[in-house]
Amino acid sequence: MAFCTNCGSKLDDNSAFCTVCGTAVKNDVVNQPQQSQVVYEEFVPTLGMGRKFAFKEKSLIYSDKEYEYAKLKPITLITAPTFASNGVAQTTSEDGELLTLAFSRKDNARFNSVLSYANEQINAEHGNAKKYKFVLQSPSGSKVEVYSDYLIVYYIKGETTKGSESVNKISKGFGLNGNGLTGKITGGLGKAIDSIGSLGTGINNTFKCGATGDIIMFADLNVNISGDNLIINEYSIPIGQQNFNLAKEIIDYIDNTLKSANEKAEIPPITSEVWEPIVGKIKEFNFYGKSLRIPENLDVFNSYRSKFKEIAQKCLERARSEYDLKINDFISFMEFFPKIYADNLSPIIQKAVDVLVANGNWTVTFDSFYEQHTSEFHLGIDDYNAMTESVNLTVANNQRSVAGVMSHVPTMVGGGFGFKGALKGVAMATTFNAVTQGISNAAIKNARNITPPQQAELYGRIKADILLKRVFLDYWNVYISLVCTLKNSGSDIWWQTRDADQQYKNIFQNLSNPNFPQDKVLDTLIELIVTNPYSPEYYEFAISRFGQSEDITKIKEYFGLTE
């Protein structure tokens, strides 16, 4: 008997993957001289539907064509197989080709194991390796990803047994004990109704294009094992014996994490602190033999600008850490980004309110200043809203597509099964009519949740580095909201008006004109810098005209322009 080198579980003799953790069994090599890589698993769908496909170490063979994992999107499990239908998964190539992977019920456990491996390879190739602690792939198609302090349930409704249960109840009501011929008839009818219900579930899952994830924080969890099912709040996820130990590990990890969190001291709330009002001082710098004099009110402005830049950088570092820890896909982005953004903006807002109170402005509160600032500076919020609008547009398109599909779903009436099967035909037609109506309602409802491939496409649009740079500007610009409030309250503080800025930009443009008095260039440049010292082009002009000097470097360092 062989054992998995990763988790230690027993392996079947012909297994190419561990059914518990999904680790490939490297010793199981299929010799195919025309192929350069190891073939791990091959699947041939039954019921006359689908194409043959095989998973390799770094690629997927679909029919007679090979696709590298780097050129595929993550594989989405659409529906699990039943005894009446194949299981279905889908992926898309970089050229937009849709690959439908159909697999039989007997291959369900094997497919789910290799599916986990393939998706890990695809995500790694795209630089999107998920940072989960555990992942549990259920035979039903559902999946659970466990992260540091939350989990995501990708729930796919599996086969139904309600038909068999209902028929058994009715049979017992008529005194039928389920033995002999009557047992076979009632059992067959129950399975037939189950197959129709499962077919309806499969069609419903197909409309959804797989499962959309539900994020649940550990603090909101009710998780336990009941029989062969992992119960997570309202979800009942079949795990089978092969995932039993993994499910126990997940529960232990959640319990230990919650216990550790309770033992740790709570994060201190945002509190006010003593802040001494900034008193400006005149600064003087040598500027190519002339004196560049910085007035007190500009020194005050520059002090706030510098101080709040430091605070913003610290808050952004924490935001980045939380972003990297919690955001792994589109669902977690939509769930966590607003909170990360707001939680790390709040300390900066509080600092600004502390400054206002220290300067005698006692009418501005945290909430009013927060609202004032975010109404003017909201680059990060704009990016999130743009993504939300994309979701709305996608949902609208999905709803139009579903409406078109629904118009082609027939309603079955009557028997059509021959005279002997008339009664059975009526029962099945009634059931299918109910399922069809259920599919219609579910499809329209599920269209409000965009599909996993659509989620992946939208998530691919998010460039975290660019997004967080824009978040940093929102954070840093708190100093502008602060200075504006101080200025409006009567404080003597420097402020650049748009009219003055445009006027001096016009003057700067004329400095390069050969008709501009050359003996006035240096004095005019000093006046421009004092008017708006944060324009890099002024310093570039000075260096190009008068040469590089240590004095220029000192001035740029004072104004924070050396980075």
Side-chain angles (χ1 to χ4, degrees):
M1 174 65 72
F3 295 89
C4 176
T5 57
N6 182 51
C7 68
S9 301
K10 291 182 180 180
L11 299 173
D12 295 334
D13 292 338
N14 298 320
S15 176
F17 278 85
C18 174
T19 57
V20 175
C21 67
T23 300
V25 180
K26 296 295 183 180
N27 293 329
D28 190 6
V29 178
V30 179
N31 294 321
Q32 298 197 11
Q34 295 181 349
Q35 296 179 358
S36 60
Q37 299 171 17
V38 177
V39 176
Y40 287 115
E41 296 288 350
E42 185 176 70
F43 295 85
V44 179
T46 58
L47 305 175
M49 299 177 62
R51 300 182 184 181
K52 181 173 69 173
F53 59 94
F55 290 97
K56 297 171 64 176
E57 184 178 8
K58 297 182 179 180
S59 63
L60 168 70
I61 295 179
Y62 182 72
S63 190
D64 57 352
K65 191 173 179 180
E66 187 169 1
Y67 301 83
E68 294 179 0
Y69 289 141
K71 298 180 179 180
L72 292 176
K73 290 186 177 180
I75 302 169
T76 302
L77 187 59
I78 305 301
T79 186
T82 69
F83 69 86
S85 63
N86 287 321
V88 176
Q90 289 181 336
T91 183
T92 306
S93 71
E94 64 177 2
D95 298 326
E97 181 182 0
L98 180 65
L99 310 182
T100 299
L101 312 178
F103 57 98
S104 65
R105 193 184 191 197
K106 66 181 180 62
D107 290 328
N108 191 30
R110 189 166 62 95
F111 180 85
N112 279 293
S113 294
V114 73
L115 174 65
S116 298
Y117 169 81
N119 275 334
E120 285 183 0
Q121 300 305 308
I122 291 171
N123 286 322
E125 290 290 346
H126 291 284
N128 297 326
K130 291 194 172 184
K131 298 176 285 293
Y132 46 68
K133 305 293 184 180
F134 301 92
V135 58
L136 186 152
Q137 182 71 61
S138 168
S140 70
S142 298
K143 182 171 68 170
V144 180
E145 293 177 352
V146 182
Y147 294 89
S148 58
D149 59 355
Y150 69 96
L151 58 76
I152 304 179
V153 177
Y154 299 90
Y155 185 71
I156 291 182
K157 190 175 181 180
E159 290 185 68
T160 178
T161 58
K162 290 184 178 179
S164 298
E165 294 171 0
S166 299
V167 171
N168 287 336
K169 288 182 180 179
I170 294 172
S171 300
K172 290 179 180 179
F174 282 99
L176 302 177
N177 58 15
N179 297 323
L181 180 61
T182 56
K184 292 181 180 180
I185 293 174
T186 55
L189 178 59
K191 288 185 176 180
I193 296 175
D194 286 343
S195 68
I196 296 174
S198 296
L199 177 61
T201 297
I203 296 175
N204 184 27
N205 291 336
T206 301
F207 279 129
K208 293 172 63 176
C209 289
T212 54
D214 183 10
I215 295 178
I216 309 174
M217 304 300 296
F218 285 175
D220 301 322
L221 275 177
N222 180 11
V223 57
N224 60 82
I225 297 174
S226 177
D228 287 337
N229 294 288
L230 178 63
I231 309 300
I232 301 176
N233 291 4
E234 70 270 25
Y235 300 110
S236 179
I237 301 172
I239 54 175
Q241 288 302 311
Q242 69 271 23
N243 283 323
F244 188 81
N245 290 335
L246 178 58
K248 289 180 64 177
E249 284 187 57
I250 290 173
I251 293 175
D252 289 343
Y253 174 77
I254 293 171
D255 288 342
N256 290 334
T257 301
L258 288 173
K259 182 180 179 181
S260 176
N262 291 332
E263 291 174 352
K264 289 180 180 178
E266 294 185 1
I267 298 175
I270 299 171
T271 57
S272 303
E273 65 178 15
V274 177
W275 185 297
E276 295 294 333
I278 292 176
V279 178
K281 297 179 181 179
I282 295 175
K283 307 284 186 182
E284 290 197 26
F285 297 92
N286 182 52
F287 192 78
Y288 298 104
K290 291 183 175 286
S291 176
L292 190 152
R293 187 172 181 271
I294 307 299
E296 295 98 324
N297 61 356
L298 178 52
D299 183 57
V300 172
F301 178 92
N302 192 65
S303 296
Y304 284 129
R305 185 177 186 271
S306 176
K307 180 64 176 178
F308 275 82
K309 184 177 183 180
E310 293 177 8
I311 298 172
Q313 286 173 330
K314 290 179 181 178
C315 290
L316 183 73
E317 288 174 4
R318 189 173 69 176
R320 178 84 213 207
S321 297
E322 293 178 10
Y323 188 101
D324 291 340
L325 180 65
K326 291 190 174 182
I327 295 180
N328 303 279
D329 51 24
F330 180 78
I331 298 170
S332 54
F333 173 80
M334 298 300 289
E335 177 83 15
F336 291 122
F337 178 76
K339 189 174 188 303
I340 292 173
Y341 178 94
D343 285 353
N344 291 286
L345 172 62
S346 294
I348 314 174
I349 296 292
Q350 184 60 58
K351 291 293 188 295
V353 174
D354 291 343
V355 173
L356 291 171
V357 172
N359 281 272
N361 190 325
W362 304 331
T363 61
V364 177
T365 65
F366 177 93
D367 291 337
S368 65
F369 190 81
Y370 191 105
E371 182 178 355
Q372 171 195 334
H373 173 72
T374 53
S375 68
E376 293 291 336
F377 300 100
H378 39 69
L379 293 174
I381 297 172
D382 289 345
D383 288 347
Y384 184 83
N385 287 341
M387 192 59 63
T388 302
E389 182 60 26
S390 295
V391 172
N392 293 338
L393 292 173
T394 304
V395 167
N397 289 333
N398 288 352
Q399 290 173 335
R400 285 193 290 269
S401 298
V402 169
V405 172
M406 284 302 97
S407 65
H408 293 91
V409 177
T411 299
M412 292 181 60
V413 179
F417 301 96
F419 180 78
K420 291 183 178 179
L423 242 133
K424 184 177 178 182
V426 170
M428 293 184 70
T430 302
T431 303
F432 194 79
N433 286 339
V435 171
T436 303
Q437 296 303 316
I439 294 170
S440 300
N441 294 334
I444 295 171
K445 179 180 180 180
N446 290 331
R448 299 191 182 105
N449 293 323
I450 64 173
T451 66
Q454 291 168 338
Q455 291 176 17
E457 193 278 327
L458 288 176
Y459 186 62
R461 300 182 192 178
I462 302 169
K463 308 302 179 187
D465 289 341
I466 296 175
L467 171 63
L468 292 172
K469 284 180 181 178
R470 290 164 63 81
V471 169
F472 170 72
L473 292 177
D474 286 348
Y475 288 1
W476 186 16
N477 283 333
V478 168
Y479 88 92
I480 296 181
S481 299
L482 168 63
V483 168
C484 181
T485 304
L486 289 170
K487 183 75 173 177
N488 292 336
S489 300
S491 296
D492 181 18
I493 189 168
W494 178 88
W495 185 257
Q496 176 66 61
T497 64
R498 290 184 179 179
D499 291 343
D501 184 50
Q502 186 59 52
Q503 178 183 353
Y504 282 95
K505 282 181 179 178
N506 295 339
I507 295 173
F508 175 69
Q509 289 180 8
N510 287 322
L511 282 181
S512 300
N513 192 309
N515 295 302
F516 195 95
Q518 297 304 299
D519 60 335
K520 300 291 186 183
V521 170
L522 194 56
D523 290 333
T524 303
L525 196 54
I526 290 175
E527 185 179 355
L528 289 175
I529 291 175
V530 174
T531 303
N532 186 1
Y534 305 105
S535 295
E537 59 267 25
Y538 295 167
Y539 304 98
E540 293 170 3
F541 178 85
I543 293 171
S544 67
R545 177 64 66 90
F546 305 106
Q548 181 63 273
S549 72
E550 291 185 4
D551 295 328
I552 285 289
T553 302
K554 290 179 181 179
I555 295 170
K556 291 176 68 177
E557 287 177 350
Y558 169 76
F559 287 115
L561 300 175
T562 54
E563 296 179 4

